[in-house]
Amino acid sequence: MRKSTRKGVSKRENLKGLGLTPLEERVYQLLHLHEGNIISRETLLRDVWGFQNPVDTRSIDMCVGRLRSKIGPNRIVTVYGKGYMMPVGRA
């Protein structure tokens, strides 16, 4: 992920300074890639955790909570009953 910001610093370099775990970084990247779209829990479990069958786990909630504490609480929105999204312009 080497998208440039206005200041010429890559998003990847900006993330490194936040101390994200590899898992948190993958969640961030997936949400950022689909900015403005809702990403379902099932998609996150499949694409980030590698689960092929839907499972009931709080792992997503815990990871998103830690990610919010590092990048800011308003940058990831919970869409009740559907999943998570990163609103356009908040990446």
Side-chain angles (χ1 to χ4, degrees), residues 8-69:
V9 179
S10 74
K11 293 271 186 195
R12 186 167 199 72
E13 290 166 352
N14 284 344
L15 293 177
K16 286 190 181 290
L18 296 174
L20 300 183
T21 66
L23 187 65
E24 292 164 349
E25 189 170 338
R26 287 194 308 268
V27 170
Y28 179 92
Q29 289 173 346
L30 183 64
L31 291 170
H32 183 261
L33 180 65
H34 299 284
E35 188 177 20
N37 296 304
I38 299 168
I39 304 299
S40 70
R41 295 173 62 82
E42 292 78 17
T43 299
L44 285 166
L45 285 170
R46 183 189 66 230
D47 294 356
V48 175
W49 275 264
F51 292 130
Q52 296 304 313
N53 299 317
V55 294
D56 186 26
T57 178
R58 298 279 299 160
S59 297
I60 297 169
D61 304 321
M62 299 298 292
C63 182
V64 169
R66 288 189 310 270
L67 186 54
R68 282 179 174 144
S69 73

